[in-house]
Amino acid sequence: MKLIHNFFGHLRTILHHKRLVRHYCFKAGLYKQGIMHDWSKYHPVEFLNGVRYYQDGKRSPNFGEKEGHGYSSAWLHHKGRNRHHFEYWIDFPLDASAGLQGMPMPTRYVLEMFCDRVAASKNYNKETYDDGFALAYYEKNKDHYLLHPETKELLEQLLHMLADEGEEQTFAYIRQEIDWKHSRKW
């Protein structure tokens, strides 16, 4: 019974999250990314671990897997296949002695990352959500992020704008002021 509950609960969570991200990506003009967002979540390593470590839709199953094993194979798979995660862009610079660093992300993926963070905040906080949640989560964890300065600047600008001015103003700004089509292509 628990397995069936977890299977359908996890599937519902994924579908709801993808629907929210698609909504926000479309608001930003990122139609292809809105449709293709997180397809890897249906890969067996991600989906089956998501069912096994389902957290009743209150937090990511990756946390449950990390608690059990010390790492999440689902997360390692996911971040390596989805360019909207800053972890995808961590690499050694040409001077490897500088250590791992965040590489510059193409703007389209920074925007998708922003949409993903808003959707995740809504998905996991449901009726208690407000426009400051994504910023609060970012602020709580940002000291551990390896972000390129340009990526960090744009993401923080959008998160602050969302918290201070709201969703409509932020997405209007994205559509009217950010030229993601001519930024770093990938």
Side-chain angles (χ1 to χ4, degrees):
M1 221 38 200
K2 182 176 175 111
L3 182 62
I4 293 170
H5 167 79
N6 286 5
F7 178 90
F8 286 107
H10 181 57
L11 182 61
R12 254 191 318 276
T13 301
I14 290 173
L15 293 172
H16 185 248
H17 174 71
K18 285 180 59 61
R19 188 170 39 255
L20 288 171
V21 174
R22 184 174 54 247
H23 168 76
Y24 289 121
C25 281
F26 283 16
K27 281 182 86 164
L30 300 164
Y31 302 106
K32 181 179 177 185
Q33 287 169 255
I35 292 168
M36 296 178 63
H37 181 81
D38 278 356
W39 275 1
S40 71
K41 286 191 183 229
Y42 300 112
H43 187 281
V45 73
E46 292 186 41
F47 190 80
L48 295 177
N49 283 329
V51 170
R52 185 174 295 122
Y53 297 101
Y54 179 62
Q55 307 283 304
D56 281 324
K58 295 182 175 99
R59 65 182 191 150
S60 170
N62 296 338
F63 291 116
E65 187 180 8
K66 286 177 188 179
E67 290 166 351
H69 297 292
Y71 68 94
S72 170
S73 58
W75 171 245
L76 293 172
H77 185 272
H78 186 77
K79 74 176 178 76
R81 283 153 184 81
N82 293 280
R83 296 178 188 138
H84 65 277
H85 289 289
F86 71 86
E87 295 89 346
Y88 180 96
W89 299 93
I90 295 174
D91 199 357
F92 287 101
L94 290 175
D95 176 9
S97 67
L100 289 170
Q101 296 180 5
M103 299 293 118
M105 289 176 67
T107 305
R108 68 175 51 241
Y109 298 118
V110 179
L111 296 176
E112 185 180 357
M113 176 171 51
F114 171 74
C115 294
D116 189 37
R117 287 170 175 270
V118 175
S121 293
K122 278 195 172 185
N123 207 20
Y124 290 119
N125 294 289
K126 299 180 179 38
E127 55 278 337
T128 64
Y129 170 84
D130 70 51
D131 286 337
F133 272 50
L135 175 62
Y137 184 83
Y138 172 83
E139 291 287 338
K140 184 174 74 170
N141 297 292
K142 74 178 181 178
D143 293 338
H144 309 292
Y145 294 161
L146 290 178
L147 288 166
H148 187 273
E150 292 172 15
T151 301
K152 180 179 180 179
E153 181 181 357
L154 178 55
L155 179 61
E156 288 183 1
Q157 175 191 8
L158 296 173
L159 291 170
H160 279 281
M161 185 179 286
L162 176 67
D164 297 340
E165 300 177 35
E167 193 175 297
E168 293 310 313
Q169 287 286 112
T170 304
F171 282 94
Y173 174 82
I174 290 170
R175 284 189 313 277
Q176 296 164 11
E177 303 297 329
I178 298 180
D179 183 13
W180 56 266
K181 293 177 185 169
H182 298 99
S183 69
R184 288 182 189 91
K185 293 214 178 206
W186 221 70

